[in-house]
Amino acid sequence: MKDTYDNIFGKTGTCINLVQLQDPETLEYVKKHFSSFTLENEMKPDYLMPGWLQPISTEEAKKKTGDYVIPESYKETTVPQFNYDTVDKVLKIAKDNGLKIRYHVLVWHSQSPEWFFKVNYSQDEAAEYVSEEVMYERMQMYISSMIHHVYTLDNGAYKDVVYTWDVANEYFSNTPDKNWAAVFGNRENIEGETSTDRPALGTRPTYIKRAFEMAYDALAEFGLQDKVPLFYNDFNTYFTKEKIIEMIHFINEDREVCSGVGMQSHLALANPTVDTYINTVAAFVQEGFQVQITELDVGCTPNKDKDDPDPTEEELAAAYQKQAEYVKELTKQLITLQKWSGNKITGLTWWGLYDAISWRKYEHVLMFDKDMNDAKPSYYAFMQAAKEVPEEPVKPSVSSAVKLDFNSQGAYESESNDAKCQLNEDGSLTVTFTAQYAAVRFDLPASLKKDSPYKSVVLTYTSSGGNLGHSFYTEAGKKTNWGGEIKASADVKTCGLNTANEYTVNDILQGFQIFNGGEASVEKPITITIKSLIFYEKTAYYPWELNPDEVQTPAPEPEPDLDAAPEGEGWQALPLDQMSGGTKEEGRVVLNDIEQVTVPLPKTVEGDGKKLEVVVKGTLGTGSQGLRMWLANGTGTASDQYYFTKTGVGFGGAGDPDVFFKTGAFELQKVLTVGHTEKEERVTTANNLLLKAPVSGGKMQEVTIYGIYVREVQE
């Protein structure tokens, strides 16, 4: 494996322990396949500070210059006694066998002895936690001592062995009020479980930032601060990527001390999808972070209790084949992203040797089954994947993309007065948000909506004042992402906004919305200048490779002829001069501040299930929210209701791929069915067409009707 993948990802690793490394057969296997390893547990704090070792005096520790670094600020009279035996043996084995080590981990809420956070290092459960000031001194002592020991052991013989340090692990999983959280506060406060007497840390945990700074300064003593990267490691990063990005930028806001993200990658066939996973890697890469896949395994069978029956041979064979397909596709996409990203992926580590000894053994997560020689289909798929990605991956096709022309009618529309749109001479669009929830909507041309399943939007922009949210409009409804993925950037930024980021949308993407989810005002606006907005049929893993200049803008849709009768036979024009309300003008009626109007049909339509085709032509002003229409008996509902409103287009507002809401000229052509109701009393006679406000109790605004035409539908 290493002969194939070191050339691609830099390091190919596995998870192991000292006992396994001391077994000659296992060590030979590791040397054959891997260039690095991570100790599963033995570099975690509770292994370095076992409870059976009593603290020693600070003065005694100062004499052990290879084991301890005691900062001048350290005021306590004792320090924990460290047990470096396993670390020292592992460093020697790695050095002697040409292997590198990922050091895992310095700061973690789990597998850290609780007494390390207590006054006088007391193991009494009732002992109090120390203050933040004291804990920072302990952090400095611990982090500096670990790094100093590794790089000074045997006169620095192992200086080149540890190639990466996980400084902090799983901060976004730390909610119980103990250890780190007990001293510094929680990421979030949960009533009844965690402290609520101080602000939640959110994405700005100072103690994590300080930990990175301490580790960086400790490396600097050996001239390694810019040679050995420091990582933040976590699981389920595909669900917290925006928070992780915010935190790393916070950590690095004074100086760049965190190099990137370790993605644990404990995967399963159904969750996450390959799309979701690669989107996450791409998001980190676009921020300039290194990415290391640190604990990869892929479950292919359900977890079970030990007494549950094992899968049959047939079930296992089918599961192994699906696992192989997943591993192959995931690996190919990672290789492709690596080639396009300038080698930002700097390591790939499988979490274990084979299923029988895996921490997820019942889910059959690894590439070998009963032992190291029992290769599964996923191993061969993993090796084959590297052969199937061309040296120069083909760039995304622009034939399946469409760029909006902001000069075209209906390409964009402000959805509130607090989102001001300004079209610029260079064709870009500047939107200024001056209130929370202000929004602007972008729509595909109508001719492209019905048959083209777009999956993403590629946005190129500059922005200031704050981050913005976005929504996708589909036939299934509005899908909102509050994560603020459209980040403020003075430099031109390109981002791919994918439906697969938070959910899978299999229906048709029809429109896109940018909104301000945070605070804004006239004095403190949020402004975005959109250079290009592209709807793309593929998932936008690599949006920077999609050249906006190569993407075609479709020809604008012809505006409807408001004065012409519909094409075809049998149409009858309804008498607009007999409309029950509105301001009558030459050949049209203006509806402003009106709840509803009726227009008489040429003759009464009678019979349950009778159908009447209706065409309504008119215009909507920029302040209009639209209208609804149905057949009526007087003003009572006598047919299904068709919505043409900002909040919904279609029968009952449920969605219509043929039509989309926009201001300006419109032409609706729909078949209405008499008696279409779930109520017991069905009205089966209609003598009017009813036009009504977009919502119950509302009013029609800025609606001008130019013509209404009907004809019978013959069964």
Side-chain angles (χ1 to χ4, degrees), residues 536-557:
Y536 191 35
E537 283 187 3
K538 298 182 180 179
T539 301
Y541 295 144
Y542 327 106
W544 57 89
E545 290 295 322
L546 197 64
N547 185 352
D549 295 333
E550 297 176 0
V551 180
Q552 297 297 311
T553 297
E557 288 290 300

Side-chain angles (χ1 to χ4, degrees), residues 675-692:
H676 185 83
T677 178
E678 299 299 325
K679 297 178 180 179
E680 293 183 6
E681 296 181 1
R682 300 171 65 86
V683 178
T684 58
T685 300
N687 55 16
N688 286 324
L689 178 72
L690 179 69
L691 303 180
K692 200 162 184 176

Side-chain angles (χ1 to χ4, degrees), residues 44-56 68 74 76 78-83 109 111-130 134-135 138 141-142 178-180 182-183:
K44 292 171 181 174
D46 57 2
Y47 278 78
L48 275 296
M49 297 183 290
W52 50 268
L53 284 178
Q54 295 300 310
I56 62 174
Y68 290 90
Y74 192 86
E76 297 181 86
T78 61
V79 296
Q81 190 172 168
F82 299 143
N83 181 6
H109 63 274
Q111 290 187 252
S112 297
E114 191 168 4
W115 53 261
F116 184 57
F117 304 84
K118 296 294 187 71
V119 172
N120 296 325
Y121 298 108
S122 173
Q123 297 191 30
D124 183 350
E125 289 187 5
E128 294 183 359
Y129 288 97
V130 298
V134 170
M135 198 67 231
R138 292 185 180 186
M141 178 273 298
Y142 180 81
K178 64 179 182 179
N179 298 356
W180 297 102
V183 176

